[in-house]
Amino acid sequence: MELIGYSASVLIGLSLGLIGGGGSILTVPILVYLFGMDALVAGSYSLFIVGITSLTGTFSHYRKGNVDLTITLIFGLPSLIAVFIMRKWVMPAIPQHLFHVGSFELSKPVLLMLTFGALMLTASYSMIKGRPEQFHTQKKEPGYAKLILQSLLVGLITGFVGVGGGFLIIPSLVFLAGLSMKKAVGTSLSIMTISSLSGFLGDLTRQSGLNYHFLSKFSAFAIAGILVGTYLSRYLANEKLKPAFGWFVLGMGTFILITTILKLNQINI
């Protein structure tokens, strides 16, 4: 299973390199189902993996002029603050056992996986529906207020489930910041770097015993994937890749919801 897991980690980087998002949402399921990690621990590991992989992609896009540093700061700083607060104070404050009605009990890890499955279905719809650039016909002034509000929302989601949120960031940068699709992809990676690594830092200040050898190995495979994906993006049609990957994410999200609900029923029987 570990061999499959490391192979799947390459897919995370490939997706980030090819379409600028989507891949990070696979990190937690890979860690939970292929490496047997607890959902909460997987969230912490995911933040580091996504952050360091996105950083590699950011350097590549920056050299091509596809990173808007002003928008990165405007969107990234509120997101950074939201993620850090979420991981350092809010997540530890959420009780392990949330509530129970009769024999039914909802725990924190189960809520996390249910939320994650629902988020994957949302992300898959965004990818299957198509790229927002088809609606992007002219340059417009950035809507900074809406951009900051969206940044806070992305930060809260990133902090809760441990994903980069590229499927939310890219449409925001196109519609609210007026960026071209290419710049939105590069800027999204820079924002995911900031928010994900700040979330991991929030976790780092309250826990120890992280397996850095595993993190380094897993991240190396993901980084290899994003380097290959960034290179291939010059030759492969994004319009066809994104919907295809969206269907894959849809299947994964459905699987997570079904298995979590079945496991929940077994626990409560």
Side-chain angles (χ1 to χ4, degrees):
M1 289 297 271
E2 285 193 4
L3 180 60
I4 298 174
Y6 285 121
S7 299
S9 68
V10 178
L11 185 62
I12 296 169
L14 275 173
S15 173
L16 289 172
L18 286 169
I19 61 179
S24 62
I25 208 167
L26 296 177
T27 312
V28 170
I30 289 172
L31 295 174
V32 170
Y33 290 101
L34 297 181
F35 290 95
M37 286 188 184
D38 176 80
L40 299 175
V41 176
S44 297
Y45 279 49
S46 173
L47 288 169
F48 177 85
I49 294 162
V50 171
I52 205 71
T53 306
S54 297
L55 178 62
T56 304
T58 299
F59 285 136
S60 178
H61 279 277
Y62 182 78
R63 289 197 299 266
K64 299 174 183 176
N66 291 334
V67 177
D68 189 314
L69 294 178
T70 301
I71 298 299
T72 295
L73 291 176
I74 293 172
F75 197 105
L77 289 179
S79 180
L80 180 155
I81 294 169
V83 174
F84 187 85
I85 291 173
M86 194 75 179
R87 298 302 299 189
K88 183 169 177 60
W89 291 294
V90 177
M91 290 297 287
I94 299 175
Q96 188 72 10
H97 301 283
L98 297 168
F99 68 86
H100 63 87
V101 179
S103 61
F104 176 84
E105 182 177 357
L106 182 65
S107 66
K108 184 177 177 179
V110 169
L111 174 63
L112 186 62
M113 292 310 294
L114 288 174
T115 304
F116 204 89
L119 196 61
M120 289 187 79
L121 297 186
T122 304
S124 67
Y125 173 77
S126 173
M127 287 183 276
I128 293 169
K129 184 179 178 182
R131 289 168 54 167
E133 73 171 356
Q134 57 185 308
F135 305 107
H136 184 72
T137 56
Q138 58 183 5
K139 180 73 176 177
K140 52 188 175 184
E141 289 300 316
Y144 290 130
K146 291 182 178 179
L147 200 62
I148 291 172
L149 289 176
Q150 185 75 358
S151 168
L152 292 171
L153 173 63
V154 171
L156 292 175
I157 293 173
T158 298
F160 185 68
V161 297
V163 299
F167 70 97
L168 289 173
I169 297 173
I170 291 176
S172 300
L173 297 181
V174 172
F175 289 117
L176 301 179
L179 298 185
S180 66
M181 191 62 191
K182 283 187 177 182
K183 276 208 168 185
V185 169
T187 306
S188 171
L189 288 173
S190 68
I191 292 168
M192 283 194 287
T193 299
I194 293 172
S195 60
S196 297
L197 291 181
S198 68
F200 178 75
L201 182 61
D203 281 359
L204 197 62
T205 58
R206 62 177 178 80
Q207 63 174 275
S208 58
L210 297 176
N211 189 337
Y212 290 102
H213 176 71
F214 171 79
L215 276 175
S216 301
K217 189 189 298 185
F218 193 99
S219 299
F221 280 96
I223 288 171
I226 199 170
L227 291 174
V228 173
T230 302
Y231 175 78
L232 292 178
S233 65
R234 294 181 289 179
Y235 306 103
L236 299 177
N238 187 292
E239 294 85 352
K240 295 180 180 179
L241 288 170
K242 198 168 187 179
F245 188 75
W247 285 108
F248 175 72
V249 173
L250 175 63
M252 285 288 296
T254 304
F255 171 78
I256 289 172
L257 286 175
I258 292 174
T259 54
T260 304
I261 291 171
L262 289 176
K263 187 180 294 185
L264 185 62
N265 288 335
Q266 290 174 358
I267 292 172
N268 293 308
I269 287 176

